[in-house]
Amino acid sequence: MSIDTTKVTTPATFTELGLITPLLARLAELEYQQPTPIQAQAIPSVLAGRDLIAGANTGSGKTATFALPMLQHLSQQRRAGKSSGSKSSKGNFVTGLILVPTRELAKQVADSIKSYAVHFNGEIKTLAIFGGVSVNTQMLALRGGTDILVATPGRLLDLISSNAIKLDRVNTLVLDEADRMLSLGFTEELSALLALMPKKKQILLFSATFPEQVKALTEELLNNPIEIQLQSSDASTLVQRVFTVNKGEKTAVLAHLIKKNQWRQALIFVNAKHHCEHLAEKLAKRGITAAVFHGDKGQSERSRVLDGFKAGEIEVLIATDIAARGLDIEKLPVVINFNLPRSPSDYMHRIGRSGRAGEVGLAISLIDYEDYHHFKVIEKKNKIWLEREQVEGFEADEISDDSILAALLAESKPMAKPEGTGKKKRKKKTSANADIWSGYSKPE
Ligand code: AMP
């Protein structure tokens, strides 16, 4: 069943969604005035035990959509005395399992769940486990099991192999950022984990992007799921802009934009770990202090930087795509693509760090002639079209297929100038463009 959320006219209240008092009280304290569209559409079905595929924009309130029904079920099961979770069982069992792709997301989701659960007076145990930190501390924490476990797949498998946790009583499985969880790199780990869980369980899949092939795979796993696809117009509080710049001037333009706009904070994406440090050094020379965040940093450094950024102590953060997914940075004014992401879906994830939960947000992409074609692909895949703008004082040469060819020819001395008919020239363009991409650095 597919629900077209554009047709929803009156958003329900949280009470109308069927949530119980301890949750309603907490939502009032958090000043959540009304459910977001995904919450209004999904929570009643999830409470009724249905499987779910939700394609919702990042920042749309997905965490509460799965966390609130999970907490409600656990509390009701506990009251009915049939929980298989920590309190009523001696084994290291888990009842609700949430799989996420990154460490930071695991911590963030677990923190949100703990916050939603404060009025259950500690009766529901929630833990986050992820790599990069001591496994012993996590093993100790898992003793006696846990009700809700938020985990990255690799560390979870490690803990299972040391018998620290068992999945045979999982009754709810959430795949957050499901497209990533089901894509290459995680598929094997996910299959191994699924094999350890009971067949009968509620499965909830959330993701900002849902490529067709992933959808086909998820439909195999799910039992008669409710399908909700929020429209991208639901996230219209995010303004996207694209500035064309001359090659070699991106750093100057970036520094200019940061200084001129005096954003409270800015998150800048680059495509490789070493580019983070490199750009930070170049910005420092222009009087801008920036912190860096990437996968080569130790976990304590990653946490320190992210906490500092979330607390507003760090103003400029340069990151790779490990910061692109799910992270909730309150009122982040701007995300800047210094390098374009390789994949069009990562573009959506990156820009979704700003303009969350109905706040006003801004996403800027800086493109030079090398980015020109790739940005067109990103636009096409994401069904957006943005007017190319110029930054005053840094006006770029016009970018067109011809100017790209000219620039490539100027750069590549051994390449002979194309001669002959227009047809031949066009051929050259294609191969020259292909060369551009062979040197493009992939995100982590
Ligand atoms: P998420 O998409 O789950 O990462 O949520 C994004 C942000 O929206 C988080 O800061 C949540 O606390 C906030 N949020 C979630 N639901 C609501 C709501 N109904 N009203 C206001 N804020 C919300």
Side-chain angles (χ1 to χ4, degrees):
M1 175 179 149
S2 186
I3 298 172
D4 181 355
T5 54
T6 53
K7 300 212 175 82
V8 177
T9 45
T10 25
T13 61
F14 281 112
T15 313
E16 284 167 339
L17 297 184
L19 293 169
I20 54 178
T21 313
L23 294 173
L24 292 174
R26 183 58 185 155
L27 294 172
E29 283 166 9
L30 291 171
E31 296 179 359
Y32 287 10
Q33 312 281 344
Q34 62 182 42
T36 63
I38 182 76
Q39 291 162 359
Q41 289 303 301
I43 288 178
S45 307
V46 179
L47 280 174
R50 294 285 299 269
D51 282 2
L52 173 76
I53 302 177
N57 283 301
T58 188
S60 57
K62 284 184 286 170
T63 314
T65 306
F66 59 79
L68 299 174
M70 278 177 105
L71 289 167
Q72 180 149 329
H73 284 153
L74 279 161
S75 167
Q76 287 168 338
Q77 285 161 9
R78 174 108 341 118
R79 254 142 248 276
K82 57 177 181 173
S83 169
S84 54
S86 57
K87 295 269 162 80
S88 59
S89 145
K90 290 204 173 73
N92 293 342
F93 294 106
V94 54
T95 312
L97 177 63
I98 300 156
L99 295 176
V100 295
T102 68
R103 302 165 185 182
E104 284 74 19
L105 199 51
K107 188 172 174 301
Q108 181 182 294
V109 168
D111 287 347
S112 296
I113 297 175
K114 286 178 196 163
S115 164
Y116 293 136
V118 288
H119 293 305
F120 292 118
N121 305 320
E123 77 177 18
I124 294 173
K125 181 174 165 189
T126 301
L127 285 176
I129 58 163
F130 44 84
V133 291
S134 153
V135 78
N136 291 340
T137 320
Q138 293 179 345
M139 284 170 104
L140 274 178
L142 282 168
R143 275 204 187 151
T146 185
D147 295 297
I148 299 180
L149 185 65
V150 191
T152 53
R155 178 55 64 93
L156 180 57
L157 282 167
D158 291 348
L159 286 160
I160 290 169
S161 65
S162 10
N163 276 328
I165 190 82
K166 295 192 179 79
L167 303 187
D168 3 4
R169 295 198 194 166
V170 168
N171 64 21
T172 310
L173 171 66
V174 177
L175 298 178
D176 197 9
E177 304 290 339
D179 55 343
R180 175 89 187 279
M181 303 301 307
L182 290 169
S183 68
L184 275 179
F186 280 120
T187 340
E188 270 178 34
E189 290 175 336
L190 191 63
S191 313
L193 290 169
L194 282 166
L196 299 170
M197 292 177 219
K199 274 232 149 31
K200 193 171 170 305
K201 61 188 166 302
Q202 185 179 27
I203 304 186
L204 313 172
L205 288 160
F206 291 85
S207 185
T209 50
F210 256 101
E212 275 310 310
Q213 69 273 31
V214 172
K215 219 168 163 194
L217 193 59
T218 61
E219 279 164 5
E220 265 174 49
L221 283 178
L222 275 64
N223 174 27
N224 187 23
I226 299 280
E227 192 177 322
I228 299 177
Q229 184 61 54
L230 291 192
Q231 305 302 313
S232 54
S233 57
D234 293 333
S236 55
T237 52
L238 180 75
V239 175
Q240 299 173 57
R241 299 181 71 179
V242 56
F243 293 108
T244 52
V245 298
N246 281 334
K247 190 160 187 256
E249 287 189 357
K250 276 195 185 179
T251 312
V253 170
L254 176 66
H256 168 79
L257 288 174
I258 293 173
K259 286 181 185 167
K260 181 168 166 256
N261 291 288
Q262 300 197 318
W263 290 303
R264 199 175 35 77
Q265 285 190 297
L267 174 59
I268 299 157
F269 281 104
V270 295
N271 279 350
K273 296 166 194 170
H274 66 277
H275 287 169
C276 293
E277 261 86 14
H278 192 54
L279 183 58
E281 279 164 26
K282 290 204 285 186
L283 286 180
K285 286 189 188 139
R286 293 169 185 270
I288 295 167
T289 309
V292 297
F293 184 77
H294 58 69
D296 272 357
K297 296 274 166 199
Q299 190 52 43
S300 61
E301 173 67 0
R302 272 166 70 160
S303 303
R304 189 191 66 73
V305 168
L306 195 64
D307 291 347
F309 195 57
K310 283 188 174 183
E313 288 149 14
I314 291 172
E315 289 170 8
V316 179
L317 183 64
I318 306 170
T320 58
D321 277 304
I322 58 163
R325 293 214 171 218
L327 295 186
D328 184 28
I329 300 141
E330 212 182 327
K331 296 192 169 45
L332 178 64
V334 63
V335 168
I336 301 173
N337 286 314
F338 186 83
N339 301 135
L340 293 179
R342 184 76 179 153
S343 111
S345 65
D346 280 343
Y347 173 84
M348 296 312 285
H349 289 295
R350 283 183 179 189
I351 68 170
R353 300 311 99 217
S354 184
R356 294 170 71 73
E359 290 159 9
V360 174
L362 175 63
I364 290 177
S365 298
L366 302 181
I367 61 167
D368 61 26
Y369 72 84
E370 288 192 353
D371 304 314
Y372 179 78
H373 284 294
H374 188 47
F375 196 73
K376 277 193 185 170
V377 174
I378 289 176
E379 287 182 312
K380 195 169 164 217
K381 286 266 155 66
N382 291 316
K383 299 191 177 67
I384 49 175
W385 189 85
L386 304 176
E387 189 188 335
R388 274 47 173 170
E389 298 179 64
Q390 301 269 5
V391 180
E392 211 184 316
F394 295 88
E395 284 77 9
D397 304 331
E398 196 199 331
I399 301 180
S400 63
D401 284 347
D402 286 340
S403 68
I404 291 175
L405 179 63
L408 285 167
L409 288 171
E411 266 180 25
S412 136
K413 299 237 160 61
M415 194 195 279
K417 202 172 175 204
E419 285 165 13
T421 65
K423 207 173 170 194
K424 262 193 188 159
K425 270 190 193 170
R426 185 156 286 284
K427 243 185 158 180
K428 265 277 190 243
K429 271 188 216 169
T430 317
S431 62
N433 291 341
D435 285 343
I436 300 175
W437 300 114
S438 65
Y440 196 92
S441 58
K442 283 190 183 169
E444 302 177 300

